[in-house]
Amino acid sequence: MSVEFFIAWRYLKARRKGVFTLLTTIIAVGGITLGVAALIITIAVMTGFQKDIREKILGIQPHLIVTKESNMEFSEYPQIEKEIKRNKLVTAAAPFVMGQAILRHRNFTTGIVLKGIDFKKEDLIVNLSRILVKSEKNFNIGENEILVGNELARNLSVMPGDEIILMSQGQIAMIPRMEKFRVKQLFHSGMYEYDSNLAFISLQTAQKLFQLKNSISGIGVSVKNWENADVIEREIQEYVAYPYWVRSWYRMNKNLFAALKLEKIMMFIILALIIIVASFNIISNLLLLSVEKSKEIGILSAIGMSRKKISKIFFYEGIIIGLSGIVTGIFLGVGLSLILKKYQFIHLPQDVYYLDKLPVKIIPADIFGITVAALIITVLAAVYPAYQVTKLDPLEAIRYG
């Protein structure tokens, strides 16, 4: 331990003259503690929201989608599938048909997005079995059976087993087609847009309904690691080439995740202001300490301690105060985040957020970034008072100290 650090530590532990100097120290440490803790908790909650939304999207959307230019149907999909599977990171691929339709039950009518799938293949891509309201072994969608979201079922007032009328627009003379379907099951993805506007039928039934013969709307692709979807997108695009387009799940939801990322950055900046305000207390505390210890500073100068070493004493004093707040804030922030994650005592209105509890995810990289930012602010706050001490005249300090 250096002499400068030892003296700084003794100054901090020693009883101060008056309450005000001690109070500013407590406020400085407390401000940094609250700032760091608030940042950790807020960033953990926002990261949890991002993770939750991503999982819900990937629970019903493939990692990649291959479609034809202008969303035109195509029939040569077996060959396209072979080209897609040339990439070793692709785990599964499944064709689908997508179109718009109208569902009617009694006096209730609503427009939906209708997706025709081969359930066994689609289940390998997005694990649809996981979002079924009632778990069912070997689930499959038969002819004239439909799988609807729980919110859509609520809007239409239907239950599994009920019959509904599906209306779609045919390609020949634009004549609407009407057919009866039986509700096979309900799904709950956790995303209101999907649960209230999406329904699934079998691939063959969708092809007949939209009069596509053997054509499809696109191919859903699953990859080993969803984080590499953008890279694999570019690789597969080279295989299939124009007029086919490959889009990753992130590209299709780019605006949403860009907004969440921007919100996270802005919250970081706003809450960092708490630490900046607390750093002013460090400055005032060190300036008060320099006045209080002016006689001691003069004596240290008289016995040969250089101005640089004296400034280090006050610099270390600021670092000790800052680190005390940072370490306490980390323990407080991580502790409260873990408690919030385990007990989930804060409840949210599910009809607004579609979550009934706060999702919390602690990432070490976020904590490291918060710690570094707080440490930089603390160091900058300690520089000015340490510099001001070097201007003190040792003779005047001893005479009037």
Side-chain angles (χ1 to χ4, degrees), residues 212-228:
L212 299 179
K213 296 182 179 179
N214 293 323
S215 297
I216 62 168
S217 302
I219 300 172
V221 182
S222 174
V223 298
K224 289 182 179 179
N225 189 349
W226 56 266
E227 292 179 334
N228 296 329

Side-chain angles (χ1 to χ4, degrees), residues 78-87 236 239-240:
Q79 181 182 351
I80 302 299
E81 275 193 47
K82 288 181 181 178
E83 294 295 326
I84 292 170
K85 290 179 179 177
R86 283 174 57 189
N87 192 301
I236 293 177
Y239 300 152
V240 297

